[in-house]
Amino acid sequence: MKITQLNIYPVKSLGGIALDTAELTAEGLAWDRRWMVVDDVGRFVTQRQLPAMARIRVHLEADALVLSHPEAAPLRVPLAVGALPRIPVYVWEDRCEALDEGAEARDWLGAVLGDWRGSGLRLVRFAPEQRRAVEPHYLAPGERAHTGFADGYPLLVVSEGSLDEVNRRLAAKGLDPVPMSRFRPSLVVDDAAPFAEDGWDTLTAADGAWRLGLRKPCQRCKITTVDQHSGEIAVPGEPLRTLVEMSTRAAPGGYFGQNAIVLEGEGTRLSVGDDITVRTRS
């Protein structure tokens, strides 16, 4: 089995970046979900509320985060952490300390996304010393993990076989296939039966350099219905409706992929094409 995709999303719910190689950190792949868009009270805003966020492309340069949009000049945000004001922000029920990237970023977001419920939108950065713990009741005894502005876990692991099965079900309905980008994974692997990842306990580099723990099925939301290039919803409800129909879980909802934590290997690098091994749950 091999890694076939590595993706990061430096700004939560904006465009992703496909990588050939990535550094593994305690919070997942380096630079993943280090920034976030918030409203005037610091509550996170995503494609769930503003599908047009998908139209904002994201690039990383040697010294800057660059946001681009067809209707505005690019916004450059220095990677170096400056003397930025601190504000409290919220991801679901978690309160985090963040750094406000300032008026230029606020004005740029307003120009491309408009006002959100009558207020402005701000770009904030995860405070360097902040630690946001992963929910402990899904972890094994003695495990600890933390993440940045991701919904809840450092990484999302998906197999190509799972997407193939979803697209087979969509085709049976006369619908077009959807790309993997709809599901915004961190790491994609090949050569697996559909939803095989639901039974995996760990994912390990063939040379043992790193090890991930797959700890919680990922329940999906309406972002799966948003085209990640156009920001439009061509077929309302799909593929989320199909995922719900496919679910074999006692809990209602559609699931796709496994949320994962870093068990070993901080500072090592993962590359597309790397051989990996899995250990299934007993």
Side-chain angles (χ1 to χ4, degrees), residues 28 31 38 54 62-63 87 104 118 140 174 265 270:
W31 297 109
V38 301
D63 61 351
I87 61 171
E104 182 182 2
L270 289 70

Side-chain angles (χ1 to χ4, degrees), residues 10-12 31 33-36 65 79 101 124-125 149:
V11 184
K12 184 179 180 68
W31 297 109
R33 274 93 167 192
R34 305 311 295 172
W35 287 266
M36 181 170 69
L65 169 79
L79 295 184
E101 292 289 2
V124 299
R125 180 192 307 233
F149 284 140

Side-chain angles (χ1 to χ4, degrees), residues 4-23 29-35 47 54 56-62 64-68 79 181 184-188 228-229 272:
T4 58
Q5 288 186 31
L6 292 168
N7 302 291
I8 60 171
Y9 310 87
V11 184
K12 184 179 180 68
S13 230
L14 301 191
I17 302 174
L19 301 174
D20 292 325
T21 184
E23 181 185 353
L29 301 182
W31 297 109
D32 188 51
R33 274 93 167 192
R34 305 311 295 172
W35 287 266
Q47 291 179 37
I56 300 177
R57 305 268 73 82
V58 180
H59 304 278
L60 284 173
E61 297 182 352
L65 169 79
V66 182
L67 307 185
S68 59
L79 295 184
S181 61
R184 298 173 68 85
S186 309
L187 191 152
V188 180
Q228 292 299 301
H229 293 284
V272 170

Side-chain angles (χ1 to χ4, degrees), residues 208-237:
W210 52 263
R211 188 165 61 99
L212 310 179
L214 282 65
R215 292 296 175 258
K216 183 185 179 185
C218 185
Q219 186 170 13
R220 309 317 300 240
C221 68
K222 67 180 292 185
I223 291 178
T224 60
T225 70
V226 179
D227 184 299
Q228 292 299 301
H229 293 284
S230 68
E232 298 175 348
I233 300 176
V235 183

Side-chain angles (χ1 to χ4, degrees), residues 5-270:
Q5 288 186 31
L6 292 168
N7 302 291
I8 60 171
Y9 310 87
V11 184
K12 184 179 180 68
S13 230
L14 301 191
I17 302 174
L19 301 174
D20 292 325
T21 184
E23 181 185 353
L24 189 63
T25 75
E27 296 88 6
L29 301 182
W31 297 109
D32 188 51
R33 274 93 167 192
R34 305 311 295 172
W35 287 266
M36 181 170 69
V37 176
V38 301
D39 62 17
D40 61 346
V41 296
R43 176 67 58 180
F44 75 128
V45 178
T46 72
Q47 291 179 37
R48 298 175 184 91
Q49 299 88 19
L50 285 175
M53 292 174 72
R55 297 185 67 200
I56 300 177
R57 305 268 73 82
V58 180
H59 304 278
L60 284 173
E61 297 182 352
D63 61 351
L65 169 79
V66 182
L67 307 185
S68 59
H69 189 277
E71 299 172 7
L75 173 71
R76 293 178 58 85
V77 178
L79 295 184
V81 179
L84 301 174
R86 289 178 172 268
I87 61 171
V89 299
Y90 302 88
V91 183
W92 300 114
E93 303 306 317
D94 292 341
R95 181 186 186 277
C96 308
E97 290 294 318
L99 308 179
D100 190 339
E101 292 289 2
E104 182 182 2
R106 180 197 63 210
D107 293 345
W108 191 90
L109 290 171
V112 302
L113 294 175
D115 287 340
W116 167 241
R117 295 179 177 173
S119 68
L121 295 170
R122 290 180 287 178
L123 181 67
V124 299
R125 180 192 307 233
F126 202 78
E129 74 286 355
Q130 175 77 37
R131 293 293 180 269
R132 179 173 166 239
V134 167
E135 48 194 355
H137 49 285
Y138 285 97
L139 304 184
E143 287 183 348
R144 299 289 185 271
H146 56 276
T147 186
F149 284 140
D151 272 1
Y153 284 77
L155 296 151
L156 177 67
V157 176
V158 177
S159 73
E160 291 182 350
S162 298
L163 180 64
D164 290 344
E165 179 62 15
V166 171
N167 282 331
R168 189 185 70 79
R169 300 290 186 103
L170 291 173
K173 295 181 175 183
L175 299 174
D176 291 335
V178 295
M180 188 65 84
S181 61
R182 289 289 187 96
F183 303 99
R184 298 173 68 85
S186 309
L187 191 152
V188 180
V189 301
D190 68 355
D191 195 28
F195 299 95
E197 60 269 33
D198 290 351
W200 296 345
D201 181 67
T202 59
L203 193 68
T204 307
D207 64 2
W210 52 263
R211 188 165 61 99
L212 310 179
L214 282 65
R215 292 296 175 258
K216 183 185 179 185
C218 185
Q219 186 170 13
R220 309 317 300 240
C221 68
K222 67 180 292 185
I223 291 178
T224 60
T225 70
V226 179
D227 184 299
Q228 292 299 301
H229 293 284
S230 68
E232 298 175 348
I233 300 176
V235 183
E238 291 290 4
L240 184 58
R241 185 178 295 115
T242 295
L243 289 176
V244 172
E245 293 166 357
M246 293 171 64
S247 179
T248 59
R249 300 182 182 280
Y255 294 82
F256 189 88
Q258 285 282 321
N259 290 298
I261 63 172
V262 179
L263 298 176
E264 297 176 14
E266 292 177 34
T268 61
R269 299 193 72 83
L270 289 70

